[in-house]
Structures are given as structure tokens and as C-alpha cells.
Amino acid sequence: REKRYPRRARARGRQGVAVVRFTVTRTGEVAGARIDKGSGVRDLDRETLDMLDRAGRLPPIPNEIASDRLTFVFPVAFSLR
């Protein structure tokens, strides 16, 4: 929903997968986002981080989970079809 294909990358036919690592605080705030493995296309990597910025707060960590922070790592694929 928040992901946008960078115009320049689309025009050049660039595709790739960026792996992003980020931490979510108890209140749902995204902290410490970084690219773990780049896509090979700077615009796609930048968009991956921008996507998290646009997402704003995520759902808070449920009370059943004792940790005050959770770290996630996931791939973000950019594909032209």
C-alpha cells in the first residue's frame, strides 16, 4: 500500500529485491530501519526506506509479548510486469 515504484527505475526497466531490517518499539514506532542487502539499484533501496517512513506507526506490540522492541527483516520486491 505504501510502496511506490521509483519513476527513474521504472523508466530504465530496473528491478530487484531489497532486504530491509527495522525495529518496532512497544508503541509501534519504526526505529533503526536499514538495508541489510541492497537490490543493486540505489533508487529501489531508497524507496524501501521511504516506504517505512510513509507507513508511520505500525500496530503496537501486544501486551502478551514481553519485549519492548521487535526486529524484523523482510524482502521488498520491485518487479515490472
Side-chain angles (χ1 to χ4, degrees), residues 4-24:
R4 300 175 186 160
Y5 214 110
R7 198 172 288 154
R8 183 170 47 187
R10 181 183 297 277
R12 294 179 177 172
R14 306 291 183 172
Q15 302 182 89
V17 177
V19 178
V20 65
R21 175 184 299 267
F22 65 95
T23 300
V24 177

Side-chain angles (χ1 to χ4, degrees), residues 9-71:
R10 181 183 297 277
R12 294 179 177 172
R14 306 291 183 172
Q15 302 182 89
V17 177
V19 178
V20 65
R21 175 184 299 267
F22 65 95
T23 300
V24 177
T25 66
R26 174 138 317 267
T27 61
E29 183 180 343
V30 175
R34 67 181 173 92
I35 299 296
D36 254 14
K37 182 179 180 197
S39 66
V41 180
R42 187 179 318 177
D43 288 341
L44 301 182
D45 296 346
R46 186 176 307 120
E47 170 55 23
T48 299
L49 296 174
D50 290 347
M51 174 187 67
L52 285 172
D53 286 341
R54 284 192 302 276
R57 282 190 191 269
L58 299 176
I61 297 173
N63 290 333
E64 296 81 17
I65 297 176
S67 180
D68 284 336
R69 294 176 163 261
L70 296 176
T71 298

